[in-house]
Amino acid sequence: MKKKLILLLALVLTIVTGFTTLSSTTANAATDNSLTKVEKKGTLVMGTSPDYPPYEFQATVHGKSKIVGMDVAVGKKIAKDMGVKLVVKSMSFDSLLVALQTGKVDMVISGMNPTPARKKNVDFTHTYYQGGYSIVINKSDKGIYKDKDSFVGKTIGAQTGSTMYNESKKQTSGTTVKGMTSVSDLILALQSHKIQGVAMEKPSAQAYVANNKELAAIPSKFDLSASDTSASVAFAKGSDALVAKANKSVDQIKNQNLVNKNYLPAAGKYLKTNTVNTSMLHYWKAFLTGIEYTLIITVCSVFFGFILGVILALARMGQGGVVRTGLRWLATAYVEFIRGTPMMVQVMFVYFGLGLIVNLPALTSGIIAISLNSGAYVAEYIRGGINSVDDGQTEAARSLGMSSGATMRFVVLPQALKNIWPSLGNEFITLIKDSSIVSIIGVSELIFQSNIVRSDTYRGVAPIAVIMVLYFVLTFTASRILNYFERRMQHD
Amino acid sequence: MTKPIIEVKNLAKSFGKNDVLKDITEQVNPGQVIVVIGPSGGGKSTFLRCLNLLETPNSGEVDFDGQNLTTLDTKKVNELREQMGMVFQGFNLFPNMTVLENIKLAPMKVKGMDDAAATKRAHELLDQVNLDDHADAFPSSLSGGQAQRVAIARALAMDPKVMLFDEPTSALDPEMVGEVLNVMQELANQGMTMVVVTHEMGFAKSVADRVWFMADGYIQENNTPDEFFSNPQTDRAKDFLSKILM
Ligand SMILES: Nc1ncnc2c1ncn2[C@@H]1O[C@H](COP(=O)(O)OP(=O)(O)O)[C@@H](O)[C@H]1O
Ligand SMILES: [Mg+2]
């Protein structure tokens, strides 16, 4: 047991060090040709976390969901000045810098403050916007709270990983600071009185207050240096050429006051059109896309997971010979390892880690990760199923001259499958639900789409209720279909 | 003199420290019916399974049709197994297939026979074991006697040169033993070479050409049924017969 553990740890260490060396070499290699590389590609990929209006948010434009906001306008200007096309990629705020370091995106514009800690890992341009902080509260509490110091014994919320989060922790005493990934969740928590205030940047606070009559904004009175309230564009460490080029655009934006004059008003307009119709029916297309992707991910993962599961199960059952023993050991290690690590980590590892070697789209990464995960579980079901088939079946088939492969395929596996069908069905239904994990890398499945609808409509609960019903309809239908096939297989 | 179809030379097989077969040298001529009898646990099943290499012998040789099986590669062994049908005590029919599909599977997957030909042949064989009306039944709906007859038909579908039977009637209710033995007798009459492990002394007396008495890892006696039952040579056989015949 202990030996196994040490071996496993060694395996993890090799993988991790392997990837770190790889990532540092790619970063160094990119030093001087960073700008030429972008120009050659013809695209500048911008990473952003679109739940932070008016900086960046999802809006429905001509019936299609689109990322808009002042940061997108900044990104467009930078791309235009470089003579390339802007591509916007959305992901959670926490993932942005990793995505930058692993080359998933060329730059990050997401209302990000150039803090000293971040500067260690990435390079920033000059600031393009100087903001400040507000605290959003429920309007009914307006008399109670004045600024950050009024929350003694209460809870303030802030976006995890953001400057507000860190400063709220540092600069309040006796106040609990609660972190959540998305601002829409924080607003929901505020409205359901789980927390009493949400710290966020002034323009965002203004947008929320303007769009939700229940909310009010108060000044934060945080003691902040300029870098804490400013927003900059982040590039990968060492891409001096890119930063220099982008700085020219940023300086223009600053000198001509483009943010206040053009970008913010334009973003405000989206916010208005966005919140005109907040009925869930209006967003059926967004939910449909979510269902579509959830099903694509689930069906593909079940298919590949099953194939992988069969291969792993056979490898685990191989006996005799050096090759077979080696394969058996490998398969066993794989199954143990996958079952012993969280699926969320596996998804991030495939997207960001494997992404260092081959640049995989988020959907493909998600399907790969979930298939790899599912395969490990399916392998165990199949192994159990194969073991449950009487040895006499194999002997009868072999005595008829069938090869071991043919025996497995035509005699043992069909019976094994029948025995484990209920378990496989469960796995399928679990995957429908678990596929939601890929929302963290920005695949537009149901959870991701519901988050978009939530930040679009400023309605916290309704989209959650909708996807809950949708998930149930999906899983219930799936289990009916599986039961039907199970009954059809029962003839003995 | 005819050439033997099966020749066993100094065959030995052990499971760990358990020496089940110690040193067996015998031969079977084409058309012969051999009945193997002996006490339970004496290695009869193991011996039969060594003949078609379901068990790999530790040492010695099994020659089939002049070829030493123990030196052949897997593919050749598979090919030779086609020519040795085997019938098991527990039938081992494939429960997820109909009677017809049970019989058709190997001819189609191994010999590459087309569906029409395999179906035709399966019906002929079912006719031969008096079960053609059960072609579309699933094994779970058959009685033990019917299941064993289907198993015999399934083995015959590969057109084997030799049939191996491992206590084919031991798992059956007494009233069903007869229908299976009849099919076997019929097969013997047609000239099939058979090696039968059984406790049915009546069958041994009337159908067998030779009786092999097996105990303690050796073939202790090899004789005609008349000689063996009326005048057993070894004390081991005398003891066994006194217990079984009473
Ligand atoms: N696969 C096996 N592994 C270990 N021991 C076995 C195996 N098959 C048979 N044996 C042992 O070999 C001996 C002979 O068994 P078997 O050939 O079935 O005898 P019989 O058919 O004469 O009753 C028994 O002691 C049995 O336990
Ligand atoms: Mg036996």
Side-chain angles (χ1 to χ4, degrees), chain A residues 10-24:
Chain A
L11 194 76
V12 177
L13 258 164
T14 350
I15 292 172
V16 170
T17 43
F19 274 106
T20 356
T21 9
L22 235 148
S23 66
S24 59

Side-chain angles (χ1 to χ4, degrees), chain A residues 19 98 102 104 347-358:
Chain A
F19 274 106
V98 189
T102 56
K104 287 278 167 198
V347 168
M348 299 211 292
F349 187 80
V350 169
Y351 186 55
F352 296 122
L354 217 59
L356 290 170
I357 305 164
V358 271

Side-chain angles (χ1 to χ4, degrees), chain A residues 192-258:
Chain A
S192 54
H193 301 281
K194 300 265 181 326
I195 56 179
Q196 283 71 46
V198 182
M200 65 177 89
E201 296 205 35
K202 215 183 269 164
S204 299
Q206 279 160 3
Y208 273 98
V209 171
N211 281 282
N212 194 327
K213 290 189 194 64
E214 313 281 304
L215 302 176
I218 55 169
S220 67
K221 300 262 172 70
F222 278 126
D223 178 20
L224 298 165
S225 66
S227 84
D228 285 331
T229 54
S230 57
S232 292
V233 184
F235 286 95
K237 195 97 194 141
S239 34
D240 298 343
L242 263 178
V243 175
K245 180 82 187 165
N247 265 334
K248 283 191 190 140
S249 311
V250 169
D251 291 346
Q252 270 182 23
I253 291 172
K254 263 238 133 143
N255 294 336
Q256 300 173 20
N257 198 15
L258 286 177

Side-chain angles (χ1 to χ4, degrees), chain A residues 392-393 395 398-399 415 492, chain B residues 49 78 81 92-95:
Chain A
Q393 295 290 309
E395 297 204 332
R398 299 307 301 272
S399 77
Q415 294 183 53
D492 62 338
Chain B
R49 294 153 53 80
N78 288 341
R81 281 213 191 99
N92 296 350
L93 293 179
F94 308 133

